[in-house]
Amino acid sequence: MPVVIVELWEGRTVEQKRALCKAITDAMVEHADARPDALHVIIHEVSKENWARAGVLGVDRTDV
Amino acid sequence: MPVVIVELWEGRTVEQKRALCKAITDAMVEHADARPDALHVIIHEVSKENWARAGVLGVDRTDV
Amino acid sequence: MPVVIVELWEGRTVEQKRALCKAITDAMVEHADARPDALHVIIHEVSKENWARAGVLGVDRTDV
Amino acid sequence: MPVVIVELWEGRTVEQKRALCKAITDAMVEHADARPDALHVIIHEVSKENWARAGVLGVDRTDV
Amino acid sequence: MPVVIVELWEGRTVEQKRALCKAITDAMVEHADARPDALHVIIHEVSKENWARAGVLGVDRTDV
Amino acid sequence: MPVVIVELWEGRTVEQKRALCKAITDAMVEHADARPDALHVIIHEVSKENWARAGVLGVDRTDV
């Protein structure tokens, strides 16, 4: 009965999220002996001013 | 000095959150030797397009 | 279908954890419209060298 | 540049974890426009006395 | 390659977040042997109705 | 009253953790208007078989 939390840039479509959650669930069932009925996938959408890599905010990067 | 993070559907009222945080805090003090003054309860409100169970998004479920 | 994550000092007994998880689950059902069957409570036990308050590690505090 | 945190029962083999992390990474790249080089998958292994569903600890369940 | 998640009141400016992420990144590099290129700092902005201390919601406190 | 969670390779010394938590706390006070007395820094130590980057476990990497 696992829980998967995905920290993700905001802006993905519902269609992308639907496919993503399905694929992660399938991976958990296939590789981690998870039963799907109590398996949660939770997406935290994070804006570009709330995420930094290498000390630089997403709003200040030109490569993302 | 614990921290409790609650991943929750969006849509609860302030009154519900007030009662929930009070009850969780009381549970921590009673059962986990926590002192309340540095005890945090944080609610992450998650929309139905950002949460899947059994691989199916909340927006696609009819039973939630 | 919520998920509750508890960051807690290590050292609680199984009996304390049993009572804590039951009480938090009851609080979620009563105050947050949660259905218990897919409600998870996860405890992260953290040692005193991995937790600081006010910038001071638990191993260096005399009041905890 | 997403981060995926997996809360999982302890006891999976390294081989299972290797396959799981690979499959989740592939899912993120295919469905969430993620670039793999800064994509982290972190597994939190949780013991059965630290995880409850429906208010019942894993150590007290007979069906998991 | 660490990940740092900051649970924070909402309301900080972009300038504050920029300085905060830079300072946390520098601390990780200096004190935790982290290499900055794959080091993420993620801010979760939490509203005052979604955070309680000592069992009291931020919206009900007069001292924050 | 923020909470900072650090996901970190296992293996740092207590001295490194002490300096890290102090530096992160100072950064929060200076840049995020945090008051230190209720500010928590929590370190999750993660083993190299529980962390993947670019789909490759830490135990399988030669550059970390």
Side-chain angles (χ1 to χ4, degrees):
Chain A
M1 57 208 227
V3 174
V4 180
I5 295 177
V6 181
E7 305 282 342
L8 192 64
W9 293 121
E10 65 186 0
R12 270 62 187 177
T13 66
V14 176
E15 187 50 54
Q16 284 179 300
K17 294 171 183 175
R18 185 179 283 121
L20 176 66
C21 289
K22 179 69 169 60
I24 289 177
T25 300
D26 290 348
M28 296 294 293
V29 170
E30 181 171 356
H31 300 298
D33 294 340
R35 293 183 308 177
D37 61 308
L39 195 162
H40 300 253
V41 181
I42 300 169
I43 299 171
H44 290 166
E45 288 191 287
V46 183
S47 75
K48 292 205 172 183
E49 72 174 64
N50 286 333
W51 195 321
R53 186 159 71 89
V56 181
L57 288 184
V59 287
D60 296 329
R61 299 179 71 98
T62 56
D63 63 334
V64 289
Chain B
M1 59 207 224
V3 174
V4 180
I5 296 177
V6 181
E7 305 281 342
L8 192 64
W9 293 122
E10 65 186 0
R12 270 63 186 175
T13 65
V14 175
E15 187 50 55
Q16 285 180 300
K17 293 171 184 176
R18 184 179 286 124
L20 177 66
C21 289
K22 179 68 170 59
I24 289 177
T25 300
D26 289 347
M28 297 294 294
V29 171
E30 181 172 356
H31 301 298
D33 293 340
R35 292 185 307 178
D37 61 305
L39 194 163
H40 299 254
V41 181
I42 300 169
I43 299 171
H44 290 164
E45 288 192 286
V46 182
S47 75
K48 292 206 170 184
E49 72 175 64
N50 285 334
W51 195 320
R53 187 159 70 89
V56 181
L57 287 184
V59 288
D60 296 329
R61 299 179 72 98
T62 56
D63 63 335
V64 288
Chain C
M1 59 208 225
V3 173
V4 180
I5 296 178
V6 181
E7 305 282 341
L8 192 64
W9 293 122
E10 65 186 0
R12 270 62 187 176
T13 66
V14 176
E15 187 50 54
Q16 286 180 299
K17 294 172 183 176
R18 185 179 285 123
L20 177 66
C21 289
K22 179 69 168 59
I24 289 177
T25 300
D26 290 348
M28 297 295 293
V29 171
E30 181 173 355
H31 300 298
D33 293 340
R35 292 184 308 177
D37 61 306
L39 194 162
H40 300 253
V41 181
I42 300 169
I43 298 171
H44 289 165
E45 288 193 286
V46 183
S47 74
K48 292 206 171 183
E49 73 175 64
N50 285 333
W51 195 322
R53 185 158 73 88
V56 180
L57 287 184
V59 289
D60 296 329
R61 298 178 73 97
T62 56
D63 63 334
V64 289
Chain D
M1 57 209 227
V3 173
V4 181
I5 296 177
V6 181
E7 305 282 342
L8 191 64
W9 293 122
E10 65 186 359
R12 270 61 188 178
T13 66
V14 175
E15 188 49 54
Q16 285 179 299
K17 294 171 183 175
R18 185 179 284 122
L20 177 66
C21 289
K22 179 68 169 61
I24 289 177
T25 300
D26 289 348
M28 296 295 293
V29 171
E30 181 172 356
H31 300 298
D33 295 340
R35 292 184 308 178
D37 62 306
L39 194 162
H40 300 253
V41 181
I42 301 168
I43 298 172
H44 290 166
E45 287 192 287
V46 183
S47 74
K48 293 205 172 184
E49 72 175 64
N50 285 333
W51 194 320
R53 186 159 71 88
V56 181
L57 287 185
V59 287
D60 296 329
R61 299 179 71 98
T62 56
D63 62 336
V64 286
Chain E
M1 58 206 224
V3 173
V4 180
I5 297 178
V6 181
E7 305 281 342
L8 191 64
W9 294 121
E10 64 186 1
R12 270 64 187 175
T13 65
V14 176
E15 187 50 54
Q16 285 180 300
K17 295 172 182 175
R18 185 179 285 123
L20 177 66
C21 289
K22 179 69 168 60
I24 290 177
T25 300
D26 289 347
M28 297 294 293
V29 171
E30 181 172 357
H31 300 297
D33 293 340
R35 292 184 309 177
D37 61 306
L39 194 163
H40 300 253
V41 181
I42 300 169
I43 298 171
H44 289 166
E45 287 192 287
V46 183
S47 74
K48 292 205 170 183
E49 72 175 63
N50 285 333
W51 195 321
R53 185 158 71 90
V56 181
L57 288 184
V59 287
D60 297 329
R61 299 179 72 97
T62 56
D63 63 334
V64 288
Chain F
M1 58 208 224
V3 174
V4 180
I5 297 177
V6 181
E7 306 281 341
L8 192 64
W9 293 122
E10 65 186 0
R12 269 63 187 176
T13 66
V14 176
E15 188 50 55
Q16 285 179 300
K17 294 172 184 176
R18 184 179 286 123
L20 177 66
C21 290
K22 178 68 169 60
I24 289 177
T25 299
D26 289 347
M28 297 294 294
V29 171
E30 180 172 357
H31 300 298
D33 293 339
R35 292 185 307 177
D37 61 306
L39 194 163
H40 300 254
V41 180
I42 301 168
I43 299 171
H44 290 165
E45 287 192 286
V46 183
S47 74
K48 292 206 172 184
E49 72 176 63
N50 286 333
W51 195 320
R53 186 159 70 90
V56 181
L57 288 183
V59 288
D60 296 330
R61 299 179 73 98
T62 55
D63 62 335
V64 288

